[in-house]
Amino acid sequence: LFSANEVSGLVQKQEAMGLSMGYQMAKVLKDEATGMKLMVVSGATKEGDWKETHASALPNMFRVQRRIFAEQLELRFKVDGTPDKHTLLALKLDPSVNTTQEDGIF
């Protein structure tokens, strides 16, 4: 399987999601896993108490988990750079995706 086909296959089984959406999902997950700021929830209420925190303030086990998760997303789904030709074609055929060089997703 090509990189993004793997995530698409997994997601299609559950949500009937196409290749372009699966690729975008993996890309967003990688961006979130490598971001320096994140939202942390605590509290016993249904809504919880949300606050923005810097990634360096997280306990070490969470920093390691985020690093490994990002590495695995890149290793398995190749979300950095230009996608393979099949994924690129799926993205170009998806009318909800802007692939122009000026304001596209690349």
Side-chain angles (χ1 to χ4, degrees):
L1 291 176
F2 284 90
S3 55
N5 294 15
E6 192 175 336
V7 74
S8 181
L10 293 172
V11 174
Q12 282 179 355
K13 186 173 181 180
Q14 300 298 320
E15 303 289 332
M17 187 180 294
L19 176 58
S20 66
M21 189 58 71
Y23 176 81
Q24 291 176 79
M25 182 183 76
K27 192 168 183 63
V28 167
L29 286 171
K30 171 109 189 271
D31 290 345
E32 290 296 320
T34 57
M36 295 311 294
K37 292 187 179 179
L38 61 147
M39 297 298 289
V40 177
V41 65
S42 62
T45 66
K46 185 176 180 179
E47 295 80 27
D49 180 29
W50 290 86
K51 68 177 185 171
E52 188 176 89
T53 235
H54 196 273
S56 63
L58 292 172
N60 189 50
M61 66 180 183
F62 294 117
R63 290 195 310 263
V64 169
Q65 186 273 339
R66 292 177 85 228
R67 179 182 51 79
I68 291 172
F69 184 61
E71 288 171 359
Q72 288 298 311
L73 281 168
E74 180 54 33
L75 178 70
R76 295 168 188 245
F77 307 116
K78 311 278 189 272
V79 293
D80 286 340
T82 304
D84 63 54
K85 63 183 179 180
H86 303 291
T87 305
L88 193 55
L89 179 61
L91 290 166
K92 287 184 177 192
L93 291 173
D94 187 338
S96 68
V97 178
N98 181 358
T99 57
T100 62
Q101 194 170 21
E102 296 79 32
D103 12 290
I105 64 171
F106 303 116

